[in-house]
Amino acid sequence: MRPVNNFQMARIKNISDRENREIAFAAFGLGMTVKQFKALPEEQRRAAWDAHSRLCSPAALAAESRAKPDRPRLPRPFERVPEEKMIQIGRELIRIKDQLPHGHFGPWVREQSGLSYKQAQRFMRAATAAQQERSAA
């Protein structure tokens, strides 16, 4: 599943049939057309729709924000980041990357994290190195 982009959102708004408009969110999130989504067997459609509902529900988003109140503040551009904070942010990024499907982490970093992709890579590299040092000792 992936979030709907602006082009897809504009297409969804232009769909006149209400049923197809509701299906379009899940279909576009799966990289399908509405027609392809409707051609799926009923059990696969239901599973895709349930996954979409779990990911996009306000309760899921609110629970995620309550779960980690101790998230570190993200660095401002050109701000020097202490190594401990870099490791902490890197661990969080690695955790998020493990939860996302293949190919979704890069767009997530660019659109939602507030970090550049290079910065995210640097933080994750620091967290991995710290983990390796800890396990070697």
Side-chain angles (χ1 to χ4, degrees):
M1 289 301 271
R2 61 178 178 246
V4 179
N5 63 32
N6 290 338
F7 176 76
Q8 292 168 331
M9 186 60 80
R11 290 202 44 209
I12 290 171
K13 288 180 181 177
N14 289 332
I15 296 174
S16 59
D17 183 14
R18 182 183 173 120
E19 180 186 350
N20 287 345
R21 193 177 325 128
E22 290 175 358
I23 291 172
F25 282 102
F28 290 172
L30 291 169
M32 306 172 111
T33 64
V34 173
K35 188 175 183 179
Q36 290 170 332
F37 187 83
K38 283 184 167 183
L40 289 174
E42 181 63 33
E43 60 194 37
Q44 288 181 342
R45 265 190 287 174
R46 174 61 45 206
W49 190 255
D50 290 343
H52 173 62
S53 298
R54 280 193 309 271
L55 289 173
C56 298
S57 72
L61 298 174
E64 182 179 304
S65 65
R66 282 191 314 262
K68 292 281 183 178
D70 59 341
R71 281 195 176 142
R73 180 185 63 79
L74 293 177
R76 295 183 187 95
F78 306 108
E79 178 183 356
R80 171 133 170 44
V81 181
E83 188 172 349
E84 189 56 42
K85 185 173 179 182
M86 192 182 293
I87 292 169
Q88 187 180 9
I89 293 172
R91 284 185 188 135
E92 181 73 15
L93 288 170
I94 290 170
R95 185 188 64 78
I96 291 169
K97 184 175 182 177
D98 290 342
Q99 292 177 348
L100 292 173
H102 179 75
H104 287 76
F105 183 68
W108 180 87
V109 168
R110 285 190 291 280
E111 295 169 9
Q112 296 183 9
S113 74
L115 299 170
S116 70
Y117 191 72
K118 287 283 192 186
Q119 217 174 10
Q121 285 179 322
R122 194 167 48 249
F123 293 165
M124 291 189 301
R125 201 175 309 121
T128 304
Q131 179 67 29
Q132 289 173 350
E133 286 176 11
R134 194 177 324 135
S135 64

